[in-house]
Amino acid sequence: MSQQPTPRSTNRGDRLRRAQSVCGDGKVCPPDRATTLLEAVIEPFDRVAVEGDNQKQADFLAAALAKADPARLHDLHMVQSVLALPDHLAVFERGIASRLDFSFAGPQSRKLAELVAMGSLKIGAIHTYLELYGRMLVDLTPRVALIVADKADRDGNLYTGPNTEDTPVITEATAFRGGIVVAQVNEIVDRLPRVDIPGDWVDFVVPGPKPYLIEPLFTRDPAKVRDQNILMAMMAIAAVYEPYEVQRLNHGIGYATAAIELILPTFAAARGLKGKVASHFVLNPHPTLIPAIEAGFVDNVYCFGSELGMERYMSARADVFPVGSDGNLRSNRALAQVAGQYACDLFIGGTLQIDAEGNSSTATKDRITGFGGAPNMGADARGRRHDSPAWLRAGREAGETIRGRKLVVQMVQTRQPNGAPSFVERLDAFDLAAAAGFALPPVMIYGDDVTHVITEEGVANLLLCRSVAERAAALRAIAGDTEFGRARSAEMTEDLRRRGIVMRPSDLGIDTTTATRDLLAAQTLGDLVACSGGLYAPPAKFLRPSVAKPATADVQAKPALHSAEG
């Protein structure tokens, strides 16, 4: 594979002059000249960022780049948050790009693994979001950034609407190092509702032939929440939220965490927890949080991005969501990642595999998935210095004497939807590392950061474990009828229960027969709409006639695109 022979080019003037011959004067470029524009401003060996994150995609610009002539553009180094579209990999298949640094691959994870095995691309690293943003500002600065926004004016000022997400950090990293910024927008207007990206950061604006692609990734239909999800949610509240007095937190995506949100106004309220737990969220606007908001449980929600259908509801609840003078949400993925790491006392999510040390990963055999933001929010923030009841108690339980601990909880059923065990002696990530040539296995959350693991069998409080053997025994005790779980010692399990390290539902005062859908504050999407006062509008894909079937398992990892919230 060829390497860049000289330092990064700084010939911004030459590139702009070439672009002017394509687009003429001004910043607006016709969509039918998009590929020609990119061939004018991009040069071989450039680093190029294509915006594509949790939800919105610069899909038209990604397709335009994939159509470029490999004789003109080759050996590009792609730097991007998420590989979600076929066009994101087509640039490697066509020889336009050869190197990749990214955070998450989602539905392209299998294809990505195939291309790596074929030698069609070289992965620099699988980053967390914050890690990748940081490197964009330091040593992975894009030479050209292809971003996306709702609207632009003819001066290049951009309005991102509720889905600002990671547009600011990509744009700033590029614009203030002499790079070229090209924005795909839905429309050109004379006056913007607000300016999210100043026009002097943007070089060209391309109106897309249709609205940019955006996915509703954070909608969970209450009709698909199962009794097992509800039981796990009850245990989470009783074993973690209540005793640690958790008020500031981040939820991952899944039916178990959706169940937590839906039983806050019922189960948690009955335990006298309103005003004591779950009042401050760093979270995409989950529709299943509507009942808790309307019940007065939730004081505020700071958002990574938005969620389709929640726009009117968020605008009406500017007391809860970060809404601007234009009446619409302003999200920011980079700032929400920082808030999730440093301002939250709890991250609660899930995974595909957990090993005997508590290490977890969503990277399995033949899939290079990535992790998004989970490693940031699912890590103890050792730079934190402010205290809270949750942080101090977790630190005491861990045996810390001069610092606290962040609560990091993994909720996972003992088996995945396909029947594969969630608990394993050895993560598939080790085999993936060997196959892909990684220096280290792609572990999502390291075991020494995990404080609790919850399954349908019970809760393991790893903070109280004082040896590797105790941690493994606690995990085996809640691993159910799996090969990993069957290796448990009944005598040791009972000892761990006596010491409060392993907690069954009965140890928490939970009657399992009450873990039913009757506890849900909303049992259907229609109930969520009614609870919102008719403001929530579920996307059409969730309203297609179908026979509602309960989810077969709760995998917090975003099944369509992402590994964890944010």
Side-chain angles (χ1 to χ4, degrees), residues 251-271:
H251 276 184
I253 299 300
Y255 286 102
T257 44
I260 293 174
E261 293 158 14
L262 289 168
I263 67 171
L264 285 174
T266 57
F267 178 75
R271 296 175 76 95

Side-chain angles (χ1 to χ4, degrees), residues 323-343:
V323 172
S325 59
D326 65 311
N328 286 312
L329 179 79
R330 156 84 181 204
S331 58
N332 189 303
R333 190 166 305 283
L335 294 180
Q337 289 286 327
V338 173
Q341 187 169 31
Y342 282 98

Side-chain angles (χ1 to χ4, degrees), residues 183-442:
Q184 170 187 337
V185 299
N186 290 342
E187 58 179 327
I188 306 293
V189 297
D190 292 329
R191 182 176 178 83
L192 298 175
R194 69 175 187 239
V195 175
D196 290 305
I197 304 293
D200 57 0
W201 296 12
V202 179
D203 297 291
F204 299 99
V205 174
V206 181
K210 61 181 180 180
Y212 62 75
L213 178 66
I214 185 166
E215 289 288 337
L217 297 180
F218 303 97
T219 298
R220 292 296 178 269
D221 187 345
K224 296 183 178 181
V225 174
R226 299 186 307 136
D227 290 352
Q228 267 192 338
N229 305 139
I230 297 167
L231 176 60
M232 292 169 66
M234 294 167 73
M235 287 191 284
I237 290 172
V240 182
Y241 290 53
E242 183 173 357
Y244 294 91
E245 302 175 64
V246 175
Q247 293 198 358
R248 301 174 302 178
L249 67 160
N250 166 257
H251 276 184
I253 299 300
Y255 286 102
T257 44
I260 293 174
E261 293 158 14
L262 289 168
I263 67 171
L264 285 174
T266 57
F267 178 75
R271 296 175 76 95
L273 298 179
K274 182 178 177 180
K276 297 179 180 179
V277 304
S279 55
H280 304 279
F281 282 86
V282 178
L283 194 71
N284 278 79
H286 292 185
T288 44
L289 200 60
I290 291 173
I293 293 172
E294 294 304 308
F297 250 89
V298 181
D299 290 339
N300 72 284
V301 181
Y302 187 74
C303 301
F304 302 88
S306 187
E307 178 68 349
L308 288 177
M310 287 286 284
E311 295 84 1
R312 288 192 303 154
Y313 179 72
M314 292 184 297
S315 294
R317 294 309 307 262
D319 56 321
V320 174
F321 295 95
V323 172
S325 59
D326 65 311
N328 286 312
L329 179 79
R330 156 84 181 204
S331 58
N332 189 303
R333 190 166 305 283
L335 294 180
Q337 289 286 327
V338 173
Q341 187 169 31
Y342 282 98
C344 286
D345 291 316
L346 166 69
F347 165 75
I348 183 163
T351 187
L352 296 180
Q353 289 187 335
I354 301 176
D355 69 13
E357 295 182 15
N359 299 309
S360 62
S361 184
T362 54
T364 57
K365 293 177 181 176
D366 304 319
R367 298 188 68 169
I368 303 178
T369 310
F371 314 119
N376 292 134
M377 288 171 291
D380 186 36
R382 299 186 68 85
R384 174 174 168 169
R385 292 296 180 269
H386 71 282
D387 64 73
S388 67
W391 190 73
L392 292 173
R393 174 169 174 160
R396 288 194 301 269
E397 290 187 356
E400 301 280 3
T401 58
I402 61 171
R403 62 184 301 274
R405 280 284 300 272
K406 183 177 184 177
L407 293 164
V408 177
V409 181
Q410 295 280 40
M411 295 181 77
V412 60
Q413 290 180 223
T414 55
R415 290 189 179 273
Q416 298 297 319
N418 62 4
S422 301
F423 292 85
V424 295
E425 299 291 346
R426 184 174 184 269
L427 297 176
D428 283 357
F430 287 89
D431 296 328
L432 179 59
F438 297 151
L440 295 170

Side-chain angles (χ1 to χ4, degrees), residues 52-53 57 80-86 88-89 100 102-113 123 126-127 129 362 367-372 558-563:
D53 44 42
Q57 304 288 333
Q80 60 192 92
S81 298
V82 176
L83 288 88
L85 309 174
H88 291 157
L89 291 181
L100 171 68
F102 75 112
S103 293
F104 188 74
Q108 304 303 322
S109 57
R110 292 190 185 279
K111 184 66 174 179
L112 176 60
I123 293 177
I126 304 173
H127 302 73
Y129 284 138
T362 54
R367 298 188 68 169
I368 303 178
T369 310
F371 314 119
K558 300 171 189 175
L561 256 183
H562 227 282
S563 61

